[in-house]
Each structure stands twice: as structure tokens, then as C-alpha cells.
Amino acid sequence: MVKIIASSVRKGNVLEVEGKLYVVLTAQNFHPGKGTPVTQVDMRRISDGVKVSERYRTTEQVERAFVEDREHNFLYEDGEGYHFMNPESYDQLTMSVEDIGDLKAYLQEGMTVILSVHEGVAIAIDLPRHVTLEIMETEPVVKGQTASSSYKPAILSNGVRTLVPPHISAGTRVVIATEDGSYVERAKD
């Protein structure tokens, strides 16, 4: 374990609090005009998924767990969970549906992801920033509609709903941001 000051805690860090591991969801530093600066940390307990919110003085020491971030390839999903393989050692790791959360919609077979591994157990996943998906259905183009700021709803090949510009039609491949599921651009393939 490594002790770090609370103000240096970042999203994705794994902290050990009272013997349990937590993954940091958000970390914000507040510097009021008067009083002590504090760091507000929202975390999820890895063992059971419970969300916790803590406040630390920015100079307070917190324990950061040693986590190894390694590239893994997504293999498949079954009743046990999601299976990943280390391309160097061919070791396989499994993550539960709860650990992956909403990101499961963007996992594609063979996709390279970064897994955070603590003592041989995958505890967090980091997907590529963008994925390419196909538009399955959307409203038809309305003649004369300007592309300035009007977006229309669409359903992607992974079942997720998003908003796309008016010129995008069904069957078009588009680039989507995995962070929030938003449209980035038309795919260049």
C-alpha cells in the first residue's frame, strides 16, 4: 500500500479504506475562502458495489492500493460473466456484470481494454474512448431540415439509444463515445 495525500486522488484510483477496496468514481477538491480545503471523493466498494461518499482534508493521507493496469482482449460473455485474455501470457480473467456496469453495451469481441488487476482479480475496466457501431433505425431525413443544432433519435446495433445529426440514416456506421454514448462522427471505413 502507498500513502498519498487526498488532493492527489483521481477517478479510477483504487483506495483501501478500513480494509476494503474502493474504486474512485469522482474526486473534487474544494478550496473555500475560509476554512480548510477538502477533497470530496465518491467511491464504489469493489466487494459489493455499494457507493460511498467521503470528505478528506486535502493534506490527509489515504491508502492507495497497488493495482496493475494491463491490456486484455475481450473474448466472450456467458453465465459466469465477461471473459478477458492477457495477450502476452494468455491468462484469462473474468469480470461480473455488476463490475462492468453500463459499459457492457460497448464491449465487442476481440476489443482491447485496460483491466485494473489487484492480487489476481480484475476490479475495474477502461474501454477505448470510441467505438464504431451501425445505426439500426432512425427517423427518415426531412427535406429542408438544417444540420445546425437539431439531432434526431437513433438506435445503435448494440441496442443503445443516442442522438445523431439529421443526415445520418439507418445502415450508416458511426463513431460513438463510450463514456456517455454520444455521437462523435460518421465512421471513415
Side-chain angles (χ1 to χ4, degrees), residues 135 137-139 141 152 164-173 186:
I135 301 289
E137 65 180 75
T138 187
E139 297 169 2
V141 178
K152 62 183 182 179
V164 296
H167 65 274
I168 302 291
S169 58
T172 307
R173 292 177 50 78
R186 179 180 262 175

Side-chain angles (χ1 to χ4, degrees), residues 11-189:
K11 178 181 177 179
N13 288 164
V14 177
L15 304 179
E16 183 170 320
V17 181
E18 297 170 3
K20 293 192 176 358
L21 292 178
Y22 294 82
V23 65
V24 176
L25 303 173
T26 61
Q28 292 179 301
N29 293 317
F30 294 105
H31 299 277
K34 277 177 139 178
T36 312
V38 293
T39 301
Q40 174 75 34
V41 181
D42 293 329
M43 308 178 282
R44 182 176 46 82
R45 192 166 38 221
I46 292 168
S47 59
D48 56 11
V50 172
K51 289 186 179 172
V52 178
S53 191
E54 290 281 342
R55 274 186 182 226
Y56 299 102
R57 291 188 312 277
T58 54
T59 55
E60 212 173 320
Q61 299 273 318
V62 292
E63 286 192 23
R64 185 169 172 200
F66 178 72
V67 176
E68 197 175 2
D69 290 339
R70 275 237 166 104
E71 279 192 356
H72 283 73
N73 294 333
F74 174 60
L75 297 175
Y76 60 93
E77 179 225 345
D78 64 10
E80 292 177 26
Y82 292 81
H83 299 269
F84 299 88
M85 180 183 70
N86 181 329
E88 295 164 13
S89 66
Y90 301 109
D91 291 339
Q92 290 190 20
L93 292 172
T94 304
M95 285 187 79
S96 70
V97 176
E98 294 82 31
D99 289 342
I100 292 182
D102 296 340
L103 297 176
K104 66 183 175 219
Y106 300 105
L107 274 174
Q108 298 171 347
E109 206 171 294
M111 177 185 273
T112 300
V113 299
I114 305 291
L115 289 185
S116 299
V117 181
H118 177 72
E119 296 178 357
V121 178
I123 55 174
I125 184 170
D126 191 17
L127 294 183
R129 290 180 50 163
H130 300 112
V131 293
T132 302
L133 297 166
E134 188 174 331
I135 301 289
M136 297 313 285
E137 65 180 75
T138 187
E139 297 169 2
V141 178
V142 177
K143 193 173 176 83
Q145 190 174 16
T146 61
S148 60
S149 65
S150 58
Y151 276 65
K152 62 183 182 179
I155 297 177
L156 301 168
S157 55
N158 63 356
V160 173
R161 292 180 164 279
T162 191
L163 294 171
V164 296
H167 65 274
I168 302 291
S169 58
T172 307
R173 292 177 50 78
V174 294
V175 177
I176 300 293
T178 55
E179 187 177 359
D180 58 3
S182 63
Y183 169 85
V184 177
E185 63 184 357
R186 179 180 262 175
K188 293 175 174 63
D189 53 14

